[in-house]
Amino acid sequence: MTDEVQRGNMAAAEGPSFWLGNETLKVPAALFALNRKRLCDRLRGNKDVQKNAIVLMQGGEEAQRYCTDTGIVFRQESYFHWTFGVTEPDCYGAIDVDTGKSIVFVPKLPESYAVWMGKIHHPEYFREKYAVDEVHYKDEITSVLASKKPSVLLTLRGVNTDSGNISREASFEGISQFNVNNKILHPEIAECRVIKTDMELEVLRYTNKISSEAHKEVMKAIKVGMKEYEMESLFQHYCYTRGGMRHTSYTCICGSGNNSSVLHYGHAGAPNDKTVEDGDLCLFDMGGEYYCYASDITCTFPANGKFTPDQRAIYEAVLKSSRAVMKAIKPGVAWPDMHRLADRVHLEELTKIGILKGNVDDMVKVHLGAIFMPHGLGHLLGIDVHDVGGYPEGVDRINLPGLKSLRTARVLKEGMVLTVEPGIYFIDRLLDQALNDPSQSCFINNEVLQRFRRFGGVRIEDDIAVAANGMELLTCVPRTVEEIEAFMAEAQGSTKSFDSLASQK
Ligand SMILES: [Mn+2]
């Protein structure tokens, strides 16, 4: 690895790379070599790690639909991807912490694989493809590891603080003959994942570029009368055909009208199946994933291309908080303070609009902001859309309305990548709850609020990287009311005139 590459200059990286051709991004295997080096450096600095320790990780496994033989498209487990960049299922990987030497173990495939699945590759093929030091078959894992005489195998076991699920620890027949420690690795590797290298940033810039363009395609194509899922489909099509993104980072949220206030709309029980109507506000939260790296972008805009005065007022309130937060972001800033900043701007703006009345400091005391923004301001982003490392030991969740939904309460550092996604929503359940609570209802002008029932919601979500003196905005979509209206008018101008010509015939 050259110095240039160690600093993360992707263009300077030589050797094999992942590439899907055309205009898609070339991601060098050196990205993962640097990740492994950073992990080993950290582990060697940990006093609990003995000499001659070996990291052992198990990759994701191929799965089928329920009891059938219908395969589900494989996507690598995120920690394993971060460490090895291996796209195939059913592998293991090991790293000698002292030397940094890496080993990948691949399954020995049956002869029938060559008939049904394609060419069976030899270990040497994978060694070159992933630029690791050794590749062996999985059934040799015990003897290969034993020959290295490790003092300890460091395996990955720890809680994902977003899901509460525990990562699957590596296991194989014969592991009982080794000394295993499953406590040390998880916090160390999670910490490595929190800070992105320049090469990782380059990939996240790419996922953002493609996903931003895909959002713009949707804004160009939307017409009253179309289905929400047509927009989802168009987004996915653009991401895959132009960006090589087979997966999205999460299920697309394509809410129109009141559905824009349903925070995780789009799931199987509410599958983006409403018809987009005139006067609807659309809240589309979608992000493409390339080589397991995520993006997470929300655009909110009027279906017909023109904001009503009320839509404009709420939209600009959210834009104001988004921009205030972006201006304040820099290393050393505590993320919960950014959430509080957004909340305060929302309360001030809602007071100007007339929905709220009274003293904003007093509203803050009764957590009124969480009625309108029940979710957190944003989260870490990387290989997972809700990336790991949000709550390491010593960082505690703040158990207050709104703030408790934050997926991280960390102090920002250079190299962190986060979403900034303030929103204002009119959610009946929360509004009724506030109206029934005298400590909150005294701030609400119910007459004005009535006008906003069934309004839906506005979210503006961008992805950012914390830089030395501020931040870098990765997302690039029309954001101000003027930009959105001009973009949609220009994009739809041609199709609209075509429609009117057609109707004259
Ligand atoms: Mn998000």
Side-chain angles (χ1 to χ4, degrees):
M1 214 183 293
T2 65
D3 282 0
E4 271 289 284
V5 177
Q6 286 225 15
R7 283 198 299 276
N9 182 344
M10 199 145 94
E14 285 167 17
S17 55
F18 173 92
W19 187 43
L20 292 177
N22 297 341
E23 304 278 286
T24 66
L25 186 72
K26 217 173 242 185
V27 182
L31 183 153
F32 305 99
L34 181 56
N35 285 351
R36 291 192 295 273
K37 184 187 174 299
R38 292 175 61 225
L39 176 63
C40 288
D41 287 348
R42 260 197 93 89
L43 288 170
R44 282 195 301 271
N46 183 323
K47 61 175 173 33
D48 295 328
V49 177
Q50 318 163 39
K51 277 259 164 233
N52 211 19
I54 286 184
V55 167
L56 178 71
M57 294 168 70
Q58 184 168 0
E61 291 173 311
E62 187 101 86
Q64 279 83 33
R65 272 189 202 170
Y66 308 108
C67 66
T68 76
D69 63 351
T70 304
I72 297 168
V73 178
F74 177 72
R75 193 271 196 191
Q76 188 56 271
E77 192 277 324
S78 297
Y79 280 105
F80 197 79
H81 181 75
W82 182 89
T83 313
F84 298 101
V86 168
T87 54
E88 292 83 359
D90 306 317
C91 297
Y92 288 77
I95 319 167
D96 183 319
V97 175
D98 295 338
T99 64
K101 287 213 181 316
S102 51
I103 313 172
V104 166
F105 297 92
V106 297
K108 198 177 237 167
L109 299 164
E111 284 302 310
S112 63
Y113 187 97
V115 177
W116 296 94
M117 308 295 274
K119 191 172 162 59
I120 296 176
H121 295 289
H122 285 279
E124 184 56 24
Y125 164 88
F126 293 106
R127 202 189 61 76
E128 279 175 23
K129 182 176 179 185
Y130 296 119
V132 290
D133 295 292
E134 296 176 34
V135 173
H136 301 280
Y137 288 118
K138 234 165 53 168
D139 58 9
E140 296 161 4
I141 192 165
T142 306
S143 59
V144 170
L145 289 177
S147 75
K148 312 278 178 197
K149 299 192 171 58
S151 59
V152 61
L153 296 181
L154 302 177
T155 57
L156 187 69
R157 186 187 157 86
V159 176
N160 180 300
T161 52
D162 292 309
S163 66
N165 295 334
I166 294 172
S167 62
R168 179 148 172 265
E169 191 181 346
S171 170
F172 59 90
E173 217 185 295
I175 196 169
S176 59
Q177 73 182 69
F178 297 92
N179 176 28
V180 176
N181 179 306
N182 65 9
K183 300 259 180 334
I184 292 172
L185 182 59
H186 190 270
E188 296 286 20
I189 194 170
E191 202 55 32
C192 286
R193 278 180 62 183
V194 167
I195 305 297
K196 274 67 182 176
T197 64
D198 285 350
M199 282 192 280
E200 289 185 292
L201 268 180
E202 222 19 63
V203 186
L204 292 167
R205 284 186 191 108
Y206 174 78
T207 60
N208 257 271
K209 186 185 91 176
I210 296 294
S211 301
S212 295
E213 288 302 315
H215 270 281
K216 285 160 71 176
E217 286 298 304
V218 168
M219 289 171 73
K220 275 190 210 168
I222 194 163
K223 281 202 202 76
V224 167
M226 290 172 109
K227 284 288 189 181
E228 293 163 342
Y229 61 73
E230 292 180 71
M231 304 298 106
E232 175 181 18
S233 167
L234 185 59
F235 179 86
Q236 290 174 334
H237 176 64
Y238 187 93
C239 285
Y240 198 6
T241 195
R242 299 294 293 279
M245 297 167 155
R246 194 173 201 181
H247 299 274
T248 49
S249 315
Y250 50 95
T251 305
C252 293
I253 299 169
C254 302
S256 62
N258 193 50
N259 292 339
S260 59
S261 69
V262 182
L263 300 177
H264 286 168
Y265 183 72
H267 57 90
N272 297 327
D273 59 352
K274 175 183 164 291
T275 303
V276 176
E277 288 163 49
D278 199 16
D280 275 358
L281 206 53
C282 295
L283 184 158
F284 292 172
D285 183 346
M286 307 184 280
E289 176 186 287
Y290 185 73
Y291 199 18
C292 294
Y293 279 85
S295 62
D296 186 359
I297 299 171
T298 307
C299 293
T300 305
F301 54 90
N304 62 18
K306 194 95 186 115
F307 285 84
T308 66
D310 280 349
Q311 287 171 344
R312 183 188 188 109
I314 300 299
Y315 186 89
E316 289 187 330
V318 178
L319 188 63
K320 194 165 186 180
S321 75
S322 157
R323 272 30 189 180
V325 166
M326 287 192 189
K327 228 175 135 189
I329 287 177
K330 61 179 179 193
V333 164
W335 192 238
D337 287 342
M338 296 296 96
H339 180 99
R340 292 186 182 99
L341 171 60
D343 251 356
R344 175 170 287 272
V345 172
H346 293 162
L347 295 172
E348 286 167 0
E349 295 304 306
L350 288 169
T351 304
K352 282 184 206 158
I353 293 165
I355 296 170
L356 300 180
K357 55 182 187 208
N359 182 292
V360 169
D361 287 327
D362 295 335
M363 296 177 197
V364 170
K365 279 179 204 145
V366 296
H367 310 293
L368 198 60
I371 297 296
F372 298 96
M373 182 172 76
H375 61 70
L377 173 69
H379 49 85
L380 295 164
L381 177 88
I383 293 175
D384 291 314
V385 62
H386 297 152
D387 214 23
V388 296
Y391 288 98
E393 211 182 296
V395 179
D396 294 320
R397 209 175 270 271
I398 302 167
N399 198 17
L400 291 171
L403 288 159
K404 68 175 180 226
S405 300
L406 279 173
R407 294 174 190 279
T408 182
R410 293 181 68 129
V411 172
L412 300 184
K413 283 188 199 163
E414 186 179 355
M416 285 182 176
V417 172
L418 299 112
T419 66
V420 175
E421 50 176 310
I424 294 178
Y425 313 87
F426 295 89
I427 303 170
D428 282 332
R429 181 169 285 261
L430 294 178
L431 294 173
D432 292 338
Q433 181 192 306
L435 287 168
N436 285 321
D437 175 352
S439 77
Q440 292 187 325
S441 66
C442 60
F443 297 108
I444 297 172
N445 187 336
N446 202 15
E447 214 166 292
V448 180
L449 178 65
Q450 285 311 313
R451 215 167 72 219
F452 289 86
R453 291 277 185 155
R454 314 297 290 173
F455 171 100
V458 169
R459 175 161 65 253
I460 299 174
E461 180 175 28
D462 294 290
D463 301 343
I464 66 100
V466 181
N469 302 307
M471 51 144 264
E472 175 189 345
L473 180 59
L474 307 177
T475 305
C476 186
V477 292
R479 276 306 187 209
T480 66
V481 164
E482 290 72 23
E483 284 167 1
I484 291 169
E485 289 188 344
F487 181 80
M488 291 181 75
E490 193 187 338
Q492 301 202 329
S494 52
T495 46
K496 272 194 185 128
S497 57
F498 177 80
D499 279 349
S500 60
L501 270 179
S503 62
Q504 278 167 25
K505 282 185 184 170

